[in-house]
Short mmCIF file of all heavy atoms in Angstrom, two decimals:
data_model
loop_
_atom_site.label_atom_id
_atom_site.label_comp_id
_atom_site.label_asym_id
_atom_site.label_seq_id
_atom_site.Cartn_x
_atom_site.Cartn_y
_atom_site.Cartn_z
N LYS A 253 82.74 57.61 31.38
CA LYS A 253 82.69 56.18 31.70
C LYS A 253 83.83 55.78 32.62
O LYS A 253 83.65 55.02 33.57
CB LYS A 253 82.73 55.37 30.41
CG LYS A 253 81.45 55.46 29.59
CD LYS A 253 81.56 54.59 28.35
CE LYS A 253 80.26 54.66 27.53
NZ LYS A 253 80.33 53.85 26.30
N GLU A 254 85.01 56.30 32.35
CA GLU A 254 86.17 55.98 33.18
C GLU A 254 86.00 56.55 34.59
O GLU A 254 86.37 55.91 35.58
CB GLU A 254 87.44 56.52 32.54
CG GLU A 254 87.83 55.77 31.27
CD GLU A 254 89.09 56.34 30.61
OE1 GLU A 254 89.60 57.37 31.10
OE2 GLU A 254 89.53 55.76 29.64
N LEU A 255 85.42 57.76 34.65
CA LEU A 255 85.17 58.35 35.97
C LEU A 255 84.15 57.53 36.77
O LEU A 255 84.26 57.38 37.98
CB LEU A 255 84.68 59.79 35.82
CG LEU A 255 85.74 60.81 35.38
CD1 LEU A 255 85.10 62.16 35.11
CD2 LEU A 255 86.82 60.95 36.45
N LYS A 256 83.13 57.02 36.06
CA LYS A 256 82.15 56.17 36.74
C LYS A 256 82.81 54.89 37.25
O LYS A 256 82.50 54.43 38.35
CB LYS A 256 81.01 55.83 35.79
CG LYS A 256 80.05 56.99 35.53
CD LYS A 256 78.90 56.55 34.64
CE LYS A 256 77.91 57.70 34.43
NZ LYS A 256 76.78 57.31 33.55
N SER A 257 83.69 54.31 36.44
CA SER A 257 84.40 53.10 36.87
C SER A 257 85.25 53.40 38.10
O SER A 257 85.30 52.62 39.04
CB SER A 257 85.28 52.58 35.73
OG SER A 257 84.50 52.25 34.60
N LEU A 258 85.92 54.55 38.06
CA LEU A 258 86.74 54.94 39.20
C LEU A 258 85.89 55.16 40.45
O LEU A 258 86.24 54.72 41.54
CB LEU A 258 87.51 56.22 38.85
CG LEU A 258 88.38 56.81 39.97
CD1 LEU A 258 89.45 55.83 40.40
CD2 LEU A 258 89.00 58.13 39.52
N ASN A 259 84.77 55.84 40.30
CA ASN A 259 83.86 56.10 41.42
C ASN A 259 83.32 54.80 42.00
O ASN A 259 83.25 54.62 43.23
CB ASN A 259 82.72 56.99 40.96
CG ASN A 259 81.75 57.29 42.10
OD1 ASN A 259 82.10 57.96 43.06
ND2 ASN A 259 80.53 56.78 41.99
N TYR A 260 82.94 53.86 41.12
CA TYR A 260 82.43 52.57 41.57
C TYR A 260 83.50 51.82 42.37
O TYR A 260 83.23 51.23 43.42
CB TYR A 260 81.98 51.75 40.37
CG TYR A 260 81.51 50.36 40.72
CD1 TYR A 260 80.26 50.15 41.27
CD2 TYR A 260 82.35 49.26 40.54
CE1 TYR A 260 79.83 48.88 41.61
CE2 TYR A 260 81.94 47.99 40.88
CZ TYR A 260 80.67 47.80 41.42
OH TYR A 260 80.26 46.55 41.75
N ALA A 261 84.74 51.84 41.85
CA ALA A 261 85.82 51.15 42.54
C ALA A 261 86.09 51.76 43.90
O ALA A 261 86.29 51.06 44.90
CB ALA A 261 87.10 51.19 41.68
N MET A 262 86.05 53.09 43.99
CA MET A 262 86.31 53.77 45.25
C MET A 262 85.22 53.48 46.28
O MET A 262 85.50 53.35 47.47
CB MET A 262 86.40 55.28 45.01
CG MET A 262 87.59 55.70 44.15
SD MET A 262 89.17 55.42 44.93
CE MET A 262 89.10 56.64 46.22
N GLU A 263 83.99 53.40 45.82
CA GLU A 263 82.87 53.18 46.73
C GLU A 263 82.85 51.77 47.31
O GLU A 263 82.34 51.55 48.39
CB GLU A 263 81.54 53.46 46.02
CG GLU A 263 81.31 54.92 45.70
CD GLU A 263 81.12 55.75 46.95
OE1 GLU A 263 80.67 55.18 47.96
OE2 GLU A 263 81.44 56.95 46.92
N ASN A 264 83.38 50.81 46.56
CA ASN A 264 83.27 49.41 46.96
C ASN A 264 84.59 48.81 47.42
O ASN A 264 84.69 47.58 47.51
CB ASN A 264 82.71 48.59 45.80
CG ASN A 264 81.27 48.93 45.48
OD1 ASN A 264 80.34 48.42 46.08
ND2 ASN A 264 81.08 49.86 44.54
N THR A 265 85.60 49.65 47.65
CA THR A 265 86.91 49.15 48.03
C THR A 265 87.42 49.91 49.23
O THR A 265 87.29 51.11 49.32
CB THR A 265 87.90 49.32 46.86
OG1 THR A 265 87.38 48.68 45.72
CG2 THR A 265 89.25 48.69 47.20
N LEU A 266 88.02 49.18 50.14
CA LEU A 266 88.60 49.80 51.31
C LEU A 266 90.10 50.05 51.14
O LEU A 266 90.65 50.95 51.73
CB LEU A 266 88.37 48.93 52.55
CG LEU A 266 86.92 48.78 53.01
CD1 LEU A 266 86.85 47.81 54.17
CD2 LEU A 266 86.33 50.11 53.39
N LEU A 267 90.78 49.26 50.33
CA LEU A 267 92.22 49.37 50.15
C LEU A 267 92.50 49.87 48.74
O LEU A 267 92.22 49.17 47.77
CB LEU A 267 92.90 48.02 50.37
CG LEU A 267 92.55 47.30 51.69
CD1 LEU A 267 93.20 45.94 51.73
CD2 LEU A 267 92.98 48.13 52.87
N TYR A 268 93.05 51.08 48.60
CA TYR A 268 93.31 51.61 47.27
C TYR A 268 94.48 52.59 47.33
O TYR A 268 94.83 53.12 48.38
CB TYR A 268 92.08 52.31 46.70
CG TYR A 268 91.76 53.63 47.34
CD1 TYR A 268 92.22 54.81 46.78
CD2 TYR A 268 91.03 53.69 48.51
CE1 TYR A 268 91.95 56.04 47.37
CE2 TYR A 268 90.76 54.91 49.12
CZ TYR A 268 91.22 56.08 48.54
OH TYR A 268 90.95 57.28 49.13
N CYS A 269 95.09 52.82 46.15
CA CYS A 269 96.14 53.82 46.01
C CYS A 269 96.24 54.23 44.55
O CYS A 269 95.69 53.56 43.66
CB CYS A 269 97.48 53.31 46.54
SG CYS A 269 98.14 51.92 45.59
N ARG A 270 96.96 55.33 44.30
CA ARG A 270 97.19 55.81 42.94
C ARG A 270 98.69 55.82 42.70
O ARG A 270 99.46 56.31 43.53
CB ARG A 270 96.61 57.21 42.77
CG ARG A 270 95.10 57.24 42.83
CD ARG A 270 94.57 58.63 43.11
NE ARG A 270 95.12 59.62 42.21
CZ ARG A 270 95.23 60.93 42.48
NH1 ARG A 270 94.80 61.37 43.66
NH2 ARG A 270 95.73 61.76 41.60
N VAL A 271 99.09 55.27 41.53
CA VAL A 271 100.51 55.08 41.21
C VAL A 271 100.80 55.71 39.86
O VAL A 271 100.02 55.55 38.91
CB VAL A 271 100.88 53.58 41.20
CG1 VAL A 271 102.34 53.38 40.83
CG2 VAL A 271 100.60 52.95 42.57
N ALA A 272 101.92 56.42 39.77
CA ALA A 272 102.36 57.03 38.51
C ALA A 272 102.94 55.94 37.59
O ALA A 272 103.28 54.84 38.04
CB ALA A 272 103.40 58.11 38.78
N PRO A 273 103.06 56.22 36.28
CA PRO A 273 103.62 55.22 35.34
C PRO A 273 105.02 54.74 35.72
O PRO A 273 105.39 53.60 35.40
CB PRO A 273 103.63 55.96 34.00
CG PRO A 273 102.53 56.97 34.13
CD PRO A 273 102.56 57.41 35.55
N ASP A 274 105.82 55.59 36.39
CA ASP A 274 107.17 55.16 36.78
C ASP A 274 107.18 54.35 38.08
O ASP A 274 108.25 53.98 38.56
CB ASP A 274 108.08 56.37 36.92
CG ASP A 274 107.59 57.35 37.98
OD1 ASP A 274 106.50 57.08 38.56
OD2 ASP A 274 108.26 58.36 38.22
N GLY A 275 106.01 54.08 38.64
CA GLY A 275 105.94 53.26 39.85
C GLY A 275 105.93 54.05 41.14
O GLY A 275 105.76 53.47 42.22
N SER A 276 106.10 55.37 41.08
CA SER A 276 106.07 56.18 42.31
C SER A 276 104.65 56.31 42.83
O SER A 276 103.68 56.34 42.07
CB SER A 276 106.67 57.57 42.05
OG SER A 276 105.91 58.24 41.06
N LEU A 277 104.54 56.41 44.14
CA LEU A 277 103.24 56.46 44.81
C LEU A 277 102.72 57.89 44.83
O LEU A 277 103.38 58.80 45.33
CB LEU A 277 103.36 55.92 46.23
CG LEU A 277 102.05 55.69 47.00
CD1 LEU A 277 101.24 54.59 46.34
CD2 LEU A 277 102.35 55.34 48.45
N ILE A 278 101.52 58.11 44.24
CA ILE A 278 100.90 59.43 44.24
C ILE A 278 100.06 59.63 45.50
O ILE A 278 100.15 60.64 46.19
CB ILE A 278 100.02 59.62 42.98
CG1 ILE A 278 100.88 59.51 41.72
CG2 ILE A 278 99.30 60.97 43.02
CD1 ILE A 278 100.08 59.55 40.43
N HIS A 279 99.24 58.65 45.81
CA HIS A 279 98.36 58.74 46.99
C HIS A 279 98.01 57.33 47.45
O HIS A 279 97.86 56.41 46.63
CB HIS A 279 97.08 59.50 46.65
CG HIS A 279 96.07 59.48 47.77
ND1 HIS A 279 96.22 60.24 48.90
CD2 HIS A 279 94.92 58.78 47.93
CE1 HIS A 279 95.20 60.02 49.72
NE2 HIS A 279 94.41 59.14 49.15
N ILE A 280 97.90 57.15 48.74
CA ILE A 280 97.51 55.86 49.31
C ILE A 280 96.42 56.10 50.34
O ILE A 280 96.47 57.07 51.11
CB ILE A 280 98.71 55.12 49.94
CG1 ILE A 280 98.28 53.73 50.45
CG2 ILE A 280 99.33 55.93 51.07
CD1 ILE A 280 99.44 52.85 50.88
N GLY A 281 95.40 55.23 50.33
CA GLY A 281 94.30 55.37 51.27
C GLY A 281 94.72 55.07 52.70
O GLY A 281 95.70 54.36 52.96
N GLU A 282 93.95 55.61 53.63
CA GLU A 282 94.29 55.45 55.05
C GLU A 282 94.24 53.99 55.48
O GLU A 282 95.12 53.51 56.18
CB GLU A 282 93.32 56.28 55.89
CG GLU A 282 93.64 56.24 57.37
CD GLU A 282 92.68 57.09 58.20
OE1 GLU A 282 91.86 57.81 57.59
OE2 GLU A 282 92.76 57.03 59.43
N LYS A 283 93.21 53.25 55.06
CA LYS A 283 93.09 51.84 55.43
C LYS A 283 94.26 51.03 54.87
O LYS A 283 94.80 50.15 55.55
CB LYS A 283 91.77 51.28 54.91
CG LYS A 283 90.53 51.89 55.54
CD LYS A 283 90.39 51.44 56.96
CE LYS A 283 89.09 51.98 57.56
NZ LYS A 283 88.93 51.58 58.97
N PHE A 284 94.63 51.34 53.63
CA PHE A 284 95.73 50.61 52.99
C PHE A 284 97.05 50.89 53.72
O PHE A 284 97.85 49.99 53.95
CB PHE A 284 95.82 51.01 51.52
CG PHE A 284 96.51 49.98 50.65
CD1 PHE A 284 96.89 48.74 51.16
CD2 PHE A 284 96.78 50.25 49.33
CE1 PHE A 284 97.50 47.79 50.36
CE2 PHE A 284 97.40 49.32 48.52
CZ PHE A 284 97.76 48.09 49.04
N SER A 285 97.30 52.16 54.06
CA SER A 285 98.54 52.51 54.74
C SER A 285 98.62 51.87 56.12
O SER A 285 99.70 51.46 56.56
CB SER A 285 98.66 54.04 54.87
OG SER A 285 97.59 54.56 55.65
N LYS A 286 97.49 51.74 56.82
CA LYS A 286 97.49 51.07 58.12
C LYS A 286 97.81 49.58 57.97
O LYS A 286 98.53 49.00 58.77
CB LYS A 286 96.14 51.26 58.81
CG LYS A 286 95.92 52.66 59.35
CD LYS A 286 94.59 52.75 60.07
CE LYS A 286 94.36 54.15 60.64
NZ LYS A 286 93.06 54.25 61.35
N LEU A 287 97.22 48.97 56.94
CA LEU A 287 97.47 47.55 56.71
C LEU A 287 98.95 47.30 56.44
O LEU A 287 99.54 46.34 56.95
CB LEU A 287 96.62 47.05 55.55
CG LEU A 287 96.83 45.60 55.13
CD1 LEU A 287 96.39 44.65 56.23
CD2 LEU A 287 96.09 45.29 53.83
#
Side-chain angles (χ1 to χ4, degrees):
K253 289 182 179 179
E254 290 179 356
L255 287 173
K256 286 183 178 179
S257 299
L258 177 61
N259 180 66
Y260 176 78
M262 295 293 291
E263 290 293 333
N264 293 275
T265 304
L266 294 175
L267 308 176
Y268 73 95
C269 65
R270 292 161 51 205
V271 178
D274 60 358
S276 61
L277 190 66
I278 299 175
H279 173 75
I280 184 170
E282 183 179 353
K283 294 289 184 181
F284 203 6
S285 62
K286 287 183 179 180
L287 176 66

